[in-house]
Amino acid sequence: MQEREKFSSRLGFILISAGCAIGLGNVWRFPFITGQYGGAAFVLIYLVFLVILGIPIMVMEFSVGRASQRSIARSFHVLEPKGSKWHWYSYAGMAGNYLLMMFYTTVCGWMIAYFFKMCMGEFQGLNPEQVGGVFNDMLARPGYMTGWMLLTVFLGFFICSLGLQKGVERITKVMMVCLFVTMLILCVRSVTLPGGGEGLKFYLLPDLNRMMEAENGLGEVIFAAMGQSFFTLSLGIGAMAIFGSYIGKEHRLTGEVMRITALDTTVAIMAGLIIFPACSAFGLDQTQGPGLVFVTLPNVFNQMAGGQIWGALFFVFMTFASLSTIIAVFENIISFAKDLWGWSRTKAVLVNGVLIALLSMPCVLGFNLWSDFAPLGAGTTIQDLEDFLVSNNLLPIGSLVYLLFCVSRYGWGWDNFIKETDSGKGVKFPKWVRGYVTYVLPLVVLAVLVLGYWDKFFK
């Protein structure tokens, strides 16, 4: 077995793990569902679930990675009791990483394309309907879409090919710093726009009456907050465990997870500080939904002084956010081949680069040549199916597996989990929550799984 690579610094581990968690769930999904479910009141509920649901599972995933020194491809094999079958989930977890990249690379390509469109002034002088037409026209062109997807795949695997420290760690550090600086500049510009105060009020002052206006009342809002807090951290498919396998035991994992979660949450909240005041300042719909980024915001930048520059900056930050996740998951995918078959990094990069490019094509074609195929009912696309398989199935099921593996005497067990998690210095995992994580948290994760199906098929 090859010697395990390690991060060169603790900061690298924290920023790369945060980069994996920070993605489209923060900067795209979080603002539009916040708008749909009542602003600040939704944010408060989301933060509660982040603490009681996301953090414990993330600690468990990191602990499995660090104790085994392997990716999900081999981690359960190393730690499971002899004769048990926990490692069966390894195959589903690996499949989850590939499935996620089958549509995530396409969406990241959209972000890069919009950056260039902004730089070239393609939206200048267009009315709101014409701006929406630009997005629809982009989706309808298979060759154009394929080009941006391939560029995304190439960039991600090229960075990974440089190695863990010289490629993944060094470049992700730079991207994350640039992301935070760009977001800070955009936040200052947005909150100082004349008329942006109403957007800030909507976002930062809880209004329970507005939250109750959701179609199915408070229950729908709570489930949406639960789902967002769960999915934003990329838990359940080993995307976090891999980084646990690259660190030493100098620091306890609970404190590290708290730092990563804080960074992830900061980015999500800053995204709202950019979007809501800007929408308010120019009288545009802040509850539009997924079209918020690709239709509403280009209209905002169209009306803003220096909008071409601000729009380009916005889509640079969107690109960094999505590309940081892609690099992290690509690193995990590369580790599968290294752990399973002892492949070199170069061989794993070349084989998986071709494989991911081919696997991403159905998503690209689902918006044009294969648009008549509606796998989940009228109006759905291949991307919706891929997202459903990951978000509504593999993430909650995988999180449940990690959870039960760490607390059950038939798995790795509570004592081994606590010993690993609390190795080093820093914040200890609170032992008094053992009853909660053993008996209550599995039911919460099951509720996320069941309600996801209810929302998709029976609502």
Side-chain angles (χ1 to χ4, degrees):
M1 182 64 68
Q2 301 172 8
E3 183 179 349
R4 197 71 177 169
E5 295 177 277
K6 298 291 182 185
F7 288 121
S8 65
S9 67
R10 180 188 184 194
L11 178 64
F13 160 68
I14 291 172
L15 286 180
I16 292 166
S17 300
C20 183
I22 293 168
L24 300 178
N26 302 73
V27 299
W28 180 19
R29 190 172 187 270
F30 180 78
F32 83 68
I33 65 170
T34 299
Q36 286 179 328
Y37 291 117
F42 172 84
V43 174
L44 289 176
I45 297 173
Y46 160 75
L47 291 174
V48 170
F49 278 113
L50 197 65
V51 172
I52 67 174
L53 177 61
I55 289 178
I57 297 175
M58 186 183 247
V59 172
M60 291 173 181
E61 190 167 325
F62 273 134
S63 67
V64 169
R66 190 170 73 171
S68 66
Q69 292 291 287
R70 299 288 183 273
S71 68
I72 194 173
R74 298 293 300 175
S75 57
F76 290 107
H77 294 76
V78 172
L79 301 179
E80 69 184 0
K82 188 175 181 180
S84 62
K85 305 297 182 184
W86 292 92
H87 65 273
W88 285 2
Y89 177 71
S90 300
Y91 306 105
M94 288 188 285
N97 285 266
Y98 284 99
L99 268 169
L100 179 61
M101 291 298 99
M102 284 165 64
F103 64 89
Y104 214 97
T105 50
T106 296
V107 180
C108 183
W110 298 348
M111 304 301 176
I112 301 173
Y114 259 57
F115 164 69
F116 283 101
K117 287 177 183 294
M118 280 289 176
C119 288
M120 294 185 292
E122 195 168 320
F123 296 101
Q124 289 184 336
L126 301 184
N127 61 39
E129 186 176 332
Q130 290 171 323
V131 169
V134 170
F135 183 58
N136 293 330
D137 177 64
M138 181 178 75
L139 297 185
R141 298 162 60 189
Y144 185 80
M145 290 263 287
T146 300
W148 292 112
M149 178 273 289
L150 291 176
L151 176 61
T152 301
V153 173
F154 172 77
L155 286 174
F157 276 113
F158 174 72
I159 291 167
C160 290
S161 73
L162 300 176
L164 179 67
Q165 292 186 12
K166 295 181 179 179
V168 176
E169 183 175 358
R170 184 174 62 182
I171 292 172
T172 303
K173 276 183 183 177
V174 173
M175 280 204 312
M176 293 300 292
V177 171
C178 291
L179 183 147
F180 279 104
V181 171
T182 303
M183 290 192 79
L184 188 60
I185 293 169
L186 287 168
C187 277
V188 172
R189 180 64 188 120
S190 186
V191 300
T192 55
L193 285 169
E198 281 301 310
L200 275 178
K201 183 179 177 183
F202 171 84
Y203 188 47
L204 298 178
L205 295 180
D207 184 341
L208 296 179
N209 291 328
R210 191 164 56 227
M211 188 172 64
M212 297 299 289
E213 292 171 1
E215 183 179 345
N216 295 313
L218 183 60
E220 180 180 349
V221 176
I222 290 175
F223 170 63
M226 188 189 302
Q228 177 64 17
S229 66
F230 184 75
F231 300 129
T232 187
L233 297 177
S234 305
L235 302 173
I237 55 174
M240 287 297 175
I242 182 62
F243 301 121
S245 76
Y246 289 149
I247 58 172
K249 298 181 184 286
E250 293 83 6
H251 300 280
R252 292 174 179 143
L253 292 173
T254 303
E256 307 296 77
V257 167
M258 290 169 67
R259 292 176 180 85
I260 293 163
T261 305
L263 286 175
D264 176 79
T265 305
T266 299
V267 167
I269 291 175
M270 288 176 73
L273 289 174
I274 294 168
I275 290 169
F276 292 114
C279 287
S280 173
F282 297 103
L284 293 172
D285 183 10
Q286 55 203 7
T287 65
Q288 180 173 343
L292 190 64
V293 166
F294 296 108
V295 179
T296 302
L297 286 176
N299 279 305
V300 167
F301 299 129
N302 246 355
Q303 301 175 56
M304 188 185 293
Q308 188 172 341
I309 296 172
W310 297 114
L313 278 175
F314 178 81
F315 284 102
V316 160
F317 119 66
M318 293 291 287
T319 298
F320 284 163
S322 52
L323 196 56
S324 65
T325 299
I326 284 172
I327 292 169
V329 178
F330 278 2
E331 177 62 25
N332 200 24
I333 286 173
I334 289 166
S335 74
F336 300 159
K338 295 173 69 179
D339 285 352
L340 286 172
W341 304 303
W343 286 8
S344 67
R345 177 173 288 269
T346 301
K347 182 176 180 180
V349 164
L350 291 174
V351 172
N352 281 291
V354 174
L355 184 60
I356 292 291
L358 292 174
L359 289 173
S360 299
M361 284 306 300
C363 178
V364 169
L365 299 178
F367 292 99
N368 36 75
L369 298 181
W370 295 353
S371 59
D372 290 337
F373 178 50
L376 297 176
T380 63
T381 64
I382 292 172
Q383 182 193 39
D384 294 321
L385 173 62
E386 292 168 344
D387 185 28
F388 172 73
L389 291 173
V390 176
S391 300
N392 293 80
N393 292 273
L394 292 174
L395 293 185
I397 291 171
S399 293
L400 188 61
V401 170
Y402 274 106
L403 176 56
L404 296 177
F405 185 67
C406 289
V407 301
S408 170
R409 62 191 178 93
Y410 300 107
W412 189 33
W414 175 263
D415 291 339
N416 288 324
F417 160 66
I418 286 294
K419 181 180 178 182
E420 179 61 43
T421 297
D422 287 348
S423 293
K425 57 185 179 181
V427 179
K428 287 187 175 183
F429 192 86
K431 295 182 177 63
W432 56 266
V433 303
R434 181 176 182 178
Y436 165 72
V437 298
T438 303
Y439 302 108
V440 178
L441 191 50
L443 295 177
V444 176
V445 177
L446 276 175
V448 171
L449 179 64
V450 173
L451 290 172
Y453 268 80
W454 177 268
D455 186 61
K456 181 69 69 175
F457 297 110
F458 301 107
K459 189 174 167 184

